[in-house]
Amino acid sequence: LNIFERKQEARTPFFQVAEVTDTTEDPAVWGQNFPKQYERYLRTADQVRTRFGGSEAVPRTPTEADPRSVVAQSKIEEDTRLKTMWAGYAFARDFREERGHAYMLEDQTFTERQAVGQPGTCLNCHASLAVVYRQVGDGDMTLGFERLNAMPYEEARRHADRAIACVDCHEPVTMRLRVTRPAFLEGIRAWKAAVEGIEDYDPNRDATRQEMRSFVCGQCHVEYYFRGEGKRLTYPWTNGMRADDIYEYYQEIGFKDWTHAITGAPVLKAQHPEFEMWNQGVHARGGVACADCHMPYLRSGAQKISDHHVRSPLLSIDNACRTCHPVESEELKQRAERIQVNTARLRDQALDALVDLIEDIGAERENGRSDAGFEAAVEMQRRAQFYIDFVEAENSMGFHAPQEAARVLGEAINYARQGQVALHAPDFSPRIVPRPSEDRYSVAAAGD
Amino acid sequence: LNIFERKQEARTPFFQVAEVTDTTEDPAVWGQNFPKQYERYLRTADQVRTRFGGSEAVPRTPTEADPRSVVAQSKIEEDTRLKTMWAGYAFARDFREERGHAYMLEDQTFTERQAVGQPGTCLNCHASLAVVYRQVGDGDMTLGFERLNAMPYEEARRHADRAIACVDCHEPVTMRLRVTRPAFLEGIRAWKAAVEGIEDYDPNRDATRQEMRSFVCGQCHVEYYFRGEGKRLTYPWTNGMRADDIYEYYQEIGFKDWTHAITGAPVLKAQHPEFEMWNQGVHARGGVACADCHMPYLRSGAQKISDHHVRSPLLSIDNACRTCHPVESEELKQRAERIQVNTARLRDQALDALVDLIEDIGAERENGRSDAGFEAAVEMQRRAQFYIDFVEAENSMGFHAPQEAARVLGEAINYARQGQVALHAPDFSPRIVPRPSEDRYSVAAAGD
Amino acid sequence: MSGEGRPGGAADRRSRGGSAGFAVLAALIGIAAGTAGFTFVYGHGGSYLHDDPAACVNCHIMDPQFDGWLRGSHRSVATCNDCHTPKPLVAKYVTKARNGFWHSFHFTRGDFEEPIRIKPSNRAVTQARCRSCHGDVVAMMEPAALAPVDCLRCHATVGHAD
Ligand SMILES: [Ca+2]
Ligand SMILES: [Ca+2]
């Protein structure tokens, strides 16, 4: 017997005050139907710092070029080793702690990283585009995506009015979640085909409701690069989503983000791989979605709503963690911070190792060295740097996958220090380990 | 604490068939009162291999010197890098996978490590001694402990009749758990005083029942050394229980286990720090005891009993894990193995780094080198080797504290490779990181 | 610890349950002897059918859940049957009879799998009951067009404190 199903039919559709369609971009209009979600959504403008996350409101004097009167703290000033790691790249100029969704468009518009001239591609993750794609593409979303990517940033920017809004995550009326970013549709389809052998995957058709509670975030909180002339936004997942798999991907296509100013190494920049890292953790295995922790249910009046004040769960532990973990909030905070401190400690050692290597290579380069040992050292820098950045750029300081973050940093240290050895020891050749899906253990597993 | 309460099975006073007192050593007699526990206890003679644990029954032809017809697989033959790490020490001669409690006395008696002449101290963790201590000490347990430690192994061995038995973990009649090992009483008291500021701690008086479910195991599954002339069995915990804390302890007392045959380094051997590692994991934080997983409740007829077949929980996942994790057994097995594979992968890289360092130092030593760089390299070997061994000797392949195991290996890699750099780069001085309780993060925490 | 107030109560419930427990066992020997199961489940003084949790703790095997329930947030607001049997009267008795039969059956045979885990069908029944009491609170979470939410993913411990 299925009382359960009968219950479902009983459920009522939402009562609409204002009419909302696929072209209603303004969240205020959607907000008339869902004032509680809207009110919380506006709160993403708040700035509160946690030990390793949140963000600090740093006042600044607005200028012609950058009218912002408040920004988040600078990460490169807090840890100048990052400038060495990114020497010669725009990130060494300006890189700040990220803050709430409300700021995504302005922070992108006014970062000094714009000075080097960016493509329209940047916009994909920093503005409300669900409607814009179709406008620019004359009704065709993918075409709009391609046209925006190909434009210079300033031009594309003119098409965008605001930060992410309701229409970017929701279907109107039903409020069903949806993926609106072509780059994710293409990335996840390629991943499903290559890694899981599932052809023609479409999250909007095939994903469960629970999966969508992570996919909507995975549209932007991922590692990416600009492919080819059209600067197509691409997610490098066809070898898998672990740091090693993605590095392998870049090796195969011979990609580099820039040439390192001190060492001349062809290096890579990893960026916010939250979705990828989360996938390696036990929470993901347990079916815990991004929204479970970052948009926990909140009692508001007579009802529970998803907290649209997307932020650090450590600022709302009672709602974000305690229903699943019936433990004191303070204890949960300590468990999370203990994981983060372990990660931070290893991150420090990895960054020190990398800086040592960069300085050594730099010195030898001055002396015009270019032998095998030198080349090996340069290769080690490229690898170590990407691995470190994969954890550094991932914004949970290891929480999303504690052991994986530590493993990646441990291997990064191995590569960075081996680079130094290669430089100084006559005939030492560094040991490069096959990626997890191909090492002796996975092979054994297959054999099991 | 929740788990504690859940584990409180209804406890009716036990019905005695045979009289059991503090001097009843024979488990068969206790077994008359508790046939089910006894029956399971005898099963610790079983040998089944898991991916990283359990043990394999390897047949051998008994000899005069070693009458065992079955032993466990040799770890040093499975991974010969261990012989290099332990060059010059008895472990490079014979080191096997550990097996069930039933074998503890014979495996110790017949290991080739005996060839080098061991003290009676060894016996503390390999035989039933609760009764013996008092006999040898003329009624005084501590005196018996001291006398046994001071004897040569062969002499002490004559006082022991069997492997651990009921009397070593239980009070008669009440069956309350008790700590019978003076070394643990002294070690935990010193730890409580130094680390938690609690004076005169006595587990048999002050510990909760749930704590005792781990303390009885912590009597033996711990890192140790023989202190002073009397070869007193000592647990090095006064700085804390993490690898870094224990290394610091050995630095302070200037201790070494042996001089490395290839490099001449004064090195240390870590041994089965399960209790220490478990303490760093989230299970321990959650109040999950050794017995919860290694002696899970088992339905036997109308009653539930603690499974006295102490073994790998991966051989009884339904009882050992599923009571707390409502997940399929196969999925739980995979979660555990995923953690172990990550650890094993890092362990491999750490061992390779160490072997590279040892070979480099060995070569330089041949050339009679002894400058600062050489000394630094030797110091790095001592440190890296202890950190690696701390995870290698810990028998869960990282499961007891996944991120901590990865962190320790990551730091070990950093030290081993820095040793190589120090050897080959003119004026490089390795970076030594303060232990966690004194690094920048804990200081900040204190400031919070 | 919310249960503290009632340990005495717990004891009573158990002892009262004791005799009924025998009834069940007696009944089951019958089943083994081949008589129709349902009659017997109805037959044992109906203790399985009214809403007193004691009916459930007839079986010590239900003790952990009973203890958990005593310590849980619903002790004073919901009994076992409020969560484990559907609301509509008929369905309620069908479920009770079915579970009563199978639980009794397994209990005497002792052939059930442990740890005991709620079966998908009964999990669905339970989730429907969450909604019958909390329908309003969760209305917004479950708009008509969306698949129902799995309450127990987050609230597995409401019935029985861990
Ligand atoms: Ca932030
Ligand atoms: Ca073993």
Side-chain angles (χ1 to χ4, degrees):
Chain A
L1 81 186
N2 46 25
I3 306 93
F4 196 43
E5 283 155 31
R6 214 171 308 131
K7 272 279 162 213
Q8 305 325 319
E9 294 151 16
R11 289 179 298 132
T12 52
F14 289 121
F15 171 70
Q16 305 268 322
V17 178
E19 203 219 354
V20 169
T21 73
D22 253 332
T23 60
T24 314
E25 199 178 81
D26 184 356
V29 178
W30 294 63
Q32 290 172 28
N33 294 335
F34 306 107
K36 291 168 182 167
Q37 284 81 0
Y38 179 58
E39 190 188 292
R40 297 297 298 171
Y41 160 88
L42 294 175
R43 293 286 302 280
T44 59
D46 295 1
Q47 288 192 258
V48 179
R49 192 171 182 161
T50 62
R51 185 157 189 199
F52 293 99
S55 72
E56 188 177 323
V58 181
R60 68 179 291 281
T61 1
T63 62
E64 182 77 30
D66 180 354
R68 294 175 299 174
S69 57
V70 174
V71 291
Q73 72 270 26
S74 167
K75 279 189 174 174
I76 51 177
E77 294 312 327
E78 279 189 346
D79 188 340
T80 54
R81 292 172 301 185
L82 296 174
K83 292 185 181 175
T84 310
M85 169 155 76
W86 297 324
Y89 202 44
F91 277 82
R93 255 167 117 152
D94 181 17
F95 174 58
R96 300 181 173 280
E97 171 66 26
E98 86 283 17
R99 45 182 178 163
H101 283 167
Y103 301 100
M104 62 170 68
L105 188 51
E106 64 180 69
D107 282 347
Q108 178 177 69
T109 309
F110 302 115
T111 177
E112 290 175 38
R113 299 209 294 276
Q114 287 291 357
V116 304
Q118 303 287 3
T121 318
C122 298
L123 219 51
N124 284 285
C125 304
H126 284 262
S128 179
L129 293 184
V131 179
V132 177
Y133 284 132
R134 290 211 162 64
Q135 286 167 348
V136 176
D138 305 317
D140 180 335
M141 187 168 158
T142 313
L143 185 58
F145 168 64
E146 288 162 348
R147 286 180 175 164
L148 280 169
N149 291 339
M151 298 175 189
Y153 183 78
E154 300 65 26
E155 185 187 345
R157 178 69 182 76
R158 274 185 245 105
H159 293 278
D161 304 318
R162 58 170 58 82
I164 184 173
C166 323
V167 71
D168 294 287
C169 296
H170 290 285
E171 272 176 10
V173 190
T174 66
M175 296 310 288
R176 191 184 281 116
L177 289 175
R178 64 174 169 192
V179 170
T180 54
R181 297 308 194 252
F184 185 83
L185 292 173
E186 293 173 0
I188 200 79
R189 189 192 298 112
W191 178 80
K192 284 274 182 183
V195 177
E196 300 198 328
I198 298 168
E199 293 304 327
D200 184 38
Y201 182 81
D202 174 357
N204 289 324
R205 182 192 62 210
D206 308 327
T208 64
R209 179 179 176 185
Q210 184 61 9
E211 287 173 325
M212 289 300 278
R213 290 168 56 88
S214 292
F215 286 176
V216 289
C217 319
Q219 297 183 89
C220 302
H221 289 270
V222 292
E223 160 62 359
Y224 68 91
Y225 76 107
F226 302 152
R227 196 172 81 232
E229 279 316 300
K231 301 270 176 210
R232 193 184 199 87
L233 179 60
T234 310
Y235 303 164
W237 295 339
T238 48
N239 288 333
M241 291 192 187
R242 296 173 83 168
D244 327 57
D245 301 325
I246 294 177
Y247 183 80
E248 182 67 22
Y249 177 101
Y250 287 131
Q251 288 299 80
E252 287 165 0
I253 65 168
F255 185 83
K256 74 167 180 195
D257 277 305
W258 87 101
T259 300
H260 198 274
I262 301 169
T263 67
V267 278
L268 300 161
K269 175 79 184 73
Q271 269 149 163
H272 35 74
E274 280 91 41
F275 183 71
E276 294 89 336
M277 266 291 189
W278 161 80
N279 253 296
Q280 310 314 319
V282 71
H283 278 108
R285 272 204 94 115
V288 185
C290 315
D292 290 340
C293 301
H294 290 281
M295 297 183 67
Y297 286 112
L298 179 70
R299 176 77 186 250
S300 162
Q303 291 176 320
K304 275 166 64 181
I305 61 162
S306 297
D307 188 351
H308 281 61
H309 179 189
V310 176
R311 61 178 161 164
S312 164
L314 298 187
L315 294 171
S316 61
I317 292 177
D318 283 343
N319 292 25
C321 322
R322 287 188 69 209
T323 47
C324 294
H325 301 285
V327 184
E328 289 310 309
S329 295
E330 182 51 34
E331 166 63 14
L332 280 163
K333 179 160 173 279
Q334 279 176 28
R335 285 188 195 175
E337 288 191 352
R338 172 124 196 206
I339 289 167
Q340 295 180 304
V341 162
N342 262 344
T343 310
R345 181 181 159 90
L346 222 41
R347 170 188 172 277
D348 278 345
Q349 290 175 59
L351 273 174
D352 283 341
L354 182 70
V355 169
D356 287 348
L357 173 62
I358 289 174
E359 284 168 358
D360 283 8
I361 300 178
E364 293 295 312
R365 194 180 178 211
E366 299 278 290
N367 314 338
R369 220 178 121 179
S370 67
D371 61 354
F374 182 84
E375 287 314 319
V378 166
E379 188 196 341
M380 288 299 105
Q381 183 201 341
R382 173 174 157 96
R383 197 180 270 268
Q385 182 156 333
F386 182 75
Y387 281 43
I388 293 172
D389 216 357
F390 205 83
V391 177
E392 150 61 31
E394 204 283 332
N395 288 284
S396 71
M397 191 54 92
F399 180 84
H400 293 144
Q403 193 198 23
E404 175 73 355
R407 178 193 70 84
V408 171
L409 288 172
E411 299 197 12
I413 290 170
N414 196 14
Y415 292 125
R417 293 297 184 193
Q418 283 190 89
Q420 285 183 283
V421 180
L423 215 52
H424 301 290
D427 34 38
F428 171 85
S429 52
R431 299 170 183 267
I432 294 171
V433 189
R435 57 205 175 93
S437 56
E438 290 174 350
D439 70 8
R440 46 188 284 217
Y441 301 103
S442 53
V443 174
D448 279 355
Chain B
L1 191 129
N2 298 338
I3 290 146
F4 173 42
E5 277 141 21
R6 176 141 46 59
K7 288 292 170 193
Q8 290 271 25
E9 295 287 304
R11 295 162 90 204
T12 43
F14 297 113
F15 172 69
Q16 305 268 321
V17 177
E19 202 216 353
V20 168
T21 73
D22 251 332
T23 59
T24 314
E25 199 178 82
D26 183 356
V29 177
W30 294 62
Q32 290 171 31
N33 294 335
F34 307 108
K36 290 166 180 162
Q37 284 83 2
Y38 180 58
E39 193 184 290
R40 297 296 300 169
Y41 160 88
L42 294 175
R43 294 286 301 281
T44 59
D46 295 2
Q47 288 192 256
V48 178
R49 191 170 183 162
T50 61
R51 186 158 187 196
F52 293 98
S55 72
E56 187 176 324
V58 180
R60 67 180 290 280
T61 3
T63 62
E64 182 78 29
D66 181 353
R68 294 175 299 173
S69 55
V70 174
V71 291
Q73 72 270 28
S74 167
K75 280 188 171 175
I76 51 178
E77 295 311 329
E78 279 190 346
D79 188 339
T80 54
R81 292 172 300 183
L82 296 174
K83 292 186 182 175
T84 309
M85 168 155 77
W86 297 323
Y89 202 45
F91 277 83
R93 259 171 120 149
D94 181 18
F95 176 57
R96 301 183 171 279
E97 171 67 26
E98 85 284 17
R99 46 182 179 164
H101 284 169
Y103 300 101
M104 62 169 67
L105 188 51
E106 61 181 70
D107 282 346
Q108 177 175 71
T109 308
F110 302 115
T111 177
E112 290 175 40
R113 301 209 294 275
Q114 287 292 356
V116 306
Q118 303 287 5
T121 317
C122 298
L123 218 51
N124 285 283
C125 303
H126 284 262
S128 179
L129 293 184
V131 179
V132 177
Y133 284 132
R134 289 212 162 64
Q135 288 167 346
V136 176
D138 306 317
D140 179 336
M141 188 170 154
T142 313
L143 184 58
F145 168 64
E146 287 161 349
R147 286 180 175 164
L148 280 170
N149 292 339
M151 297 175 190
Y153 183 77
E154 300 64 27
E155 185 187 346
R157 177 69 181 76
R158 273 185 245 108
H159 293 279
D161 306 317
R162 55 172 56 83
I164 183 173
C166 322
V167 70
D168 294 286
C169 296
H170 290 285
E171 275 177 9
V173 190
T174 64
M175 295 311 288
R176 192 178 288 113
L177 289 176
R178 63 173 168 191
V179 169
T180 55
R181 297 310 193 253
F184 185 83
L185 292 172
E186 293 174 359
I188 199 80
R189 188 193 297 113
W191 179 81
K192 283 274 181 183
V195 177
E196 301 197 326
I198 297 168
E199 293 303 327
D200 184 37
Y201 182 80
D202 174 357
N204 289 322
R205 182 191 63 210
D206 308 327
T208 64
R209 178 180 170 193
Q210 183 63 9
E211 286 172 328
M212 289 301 278
R213 291 168 54 88
S214 292
F215 286 176
V216 287
C217 318
Q219 297 183 90
C220 302
H221 289 268
V222 293
E223 159 64 0
Y224 68 91
Y225 76 107
F226 301 152
R227 195 170 82 232
E229 278 316 298
K231 300 275 178 203
R232 194 183 198 89
L233 179 59
T234 310
Y235 303 164
W237 296 339
T238 48
N239 288 333
M241 291 191 187
R242 296 174 83 168
D244 329 59
D245 301 326
I246 293 177
Y247 183 79
E248 181 68 21
Y249 176 100
Y250 287 132
Q251 289 297 80
E252 286 165 1
I253 65 166
F255 185 82
K256 74 166 180 198
D257 277 304
W258 85 101
T259 301
H260 198 276
I262 301 169
T263 67
V267 277
L268 300 162
K269 174 79 185 72
Q271 268 148 162
H272 35 74
E274 280 91 41
F275 183 73
E276 294 89 337
M277 266 291 187
W278 161 79
N279 253 294
Q280 311 313 321
V282 72
H283 278 110
R285 271 204 94 115
V288 185
C290 315
D292 290 334
C293 300
H294 290 281
M295 298 182 69
Y297 285 104
L298 183 71
R299 168 158 316 284
S300 159
Q303 283 168 314
K304 276 195 176 181
I305 62 160
S306 298
D307 187 352
H308 281 62
H309 180 189
V310 176
R311 60 177 162 167
S312 164
L314 298 186
L315 294 172
S316 61
I317 292 178
D318 281 345
N319 295 328
C321 321
R322 288 187 66 224
T323 37
C324 296
H325 299 286
V327 184
E328 289 310 309
S329 295
E330 182 51 34
E331 164 64 13
L332 280 163
K333 179 159 170 282
Q334 280 177 29
R335 285 189 195 175
E337 288 191 352
R338 173 127 196 204
I339 288 167
Q340 295 180 304
V341 162
N342 261 345
T343 310
R345 181 180 159 90
L346 221 41
R347 169 189 172 278
D348 279 344
Q349 292 176 56
L351 273 174
D352 284 340
L354 182 70
V355 169
D356 287 348
L357 173 61
I358 289 173
E359 284 168 358
D360 282 10
I361 300 178
E364 295 294 315
R365 195 182 177 210
E366 299 279 289
N367 314 339
R369 216 177 124 181
S370 67
D371 62 351
F374 182 86
E375 286 315 318
V378 167
E379 189 196 339
M380 289 298 106
Q381 183 202 342
R382 172 175 158 95
R383 196 181 272 267
Q385 183 157 334
F386 181 75
Y387 281 44
I388 293 172
D389 216 358
F390 204 82
V391 177
E392 150 60 32
E394 205 283 332
N395 289 283
S396 72
M397 192 53 92
F399 179 84
H400 293 144
Q403 193 198 23
E404 175 72 356
R407 178 192 71 84
V408 171
L409 288 172
E411 299 198 11
I413 291 170
N414 196 15
Y415 292 124
R417 294 297 184 191
Q418 284 191 88
Q420 286 184 283
V421 180
L423 215 50
H424 301 292
D427 33 40
F428 171 84
S429 53
R431 300 169 181 267
I432 294 170
V433 189
R435 56 203 175 95
S437 56
E438 288 175 352
D439 69 8
R440 45 187 285 217
Y441 301 103
S442 53
V443 174
D448 279 354
Chain C
M1 194 78 4
S2 46
E4 235 90 62
R6 314 262 293 253
D12 311 342
R13 285 160 183 270
R14 281 222 195 71
S15 44
R16 260 197 288 117
S19 55
F22 279 104
V24 179
L25 290 181
L28 290 160
I29 295 149
I31 297 179
T35 337
F38 283 128
T39 357
F40 270 93
V41 179
Y42 280 99
H44 65 74
S47 78
Y48 201 90
L49 292 179
H50 58 72
D51 288 343
D52 182 347
C56 307
V57 214
N58 277 343
C59 291
H60 50 74
I61 234 167
M62 297 287 100
D63 285 355
Q65 284 73 28
F66 180 78
D67 298 341
W69 173 73
L70 282 176
R71 284 183 286 106
S73 60
H74 285 67
R75 182 175 92 266
S76 49
V77 297
T79 65
C80 316
N81 285 330
D82 289 326
C83 291
H84 291 294
T85 55
K87 203 161 189 188
L89 250 198
V90 185
K92 173 168 179 170
Y93 286 99
V94 172
T95 306
K96 283 176 131 188
R98 189 190 48 174
N99 289 341
F101 175 81
W102 285 114
H103 298 179
S104 306
F105 185 70
H106 288 299
F107 186 64
T108 18
R109 294 261 307 263
D111 65 349
F112 55 89
E113 210 185 291
E114 288 195 277
I116 292 172
R117 283 287 170 213
I118 195 161
K119 295 185 175 31
S121 57
N122 286 330
R123 210 169 185 272
V125 167
T126 298
Q127 298 220 36
R129 302 296 275 119
C130 309
R131 292 175 174 83
S132 58
C133 291
H134 298 294
D136 304 344
V137 176
V138 302
M140 174 112 302
M141 294 161 53
E142 302 189 307
L146 272 56
V149 164
D150 176 354
C151 313
L152 308 187
R153 210 161 55 72
C154 302
H155 295 301
T157 58
V158 288
H160 318 271
D162 253 346

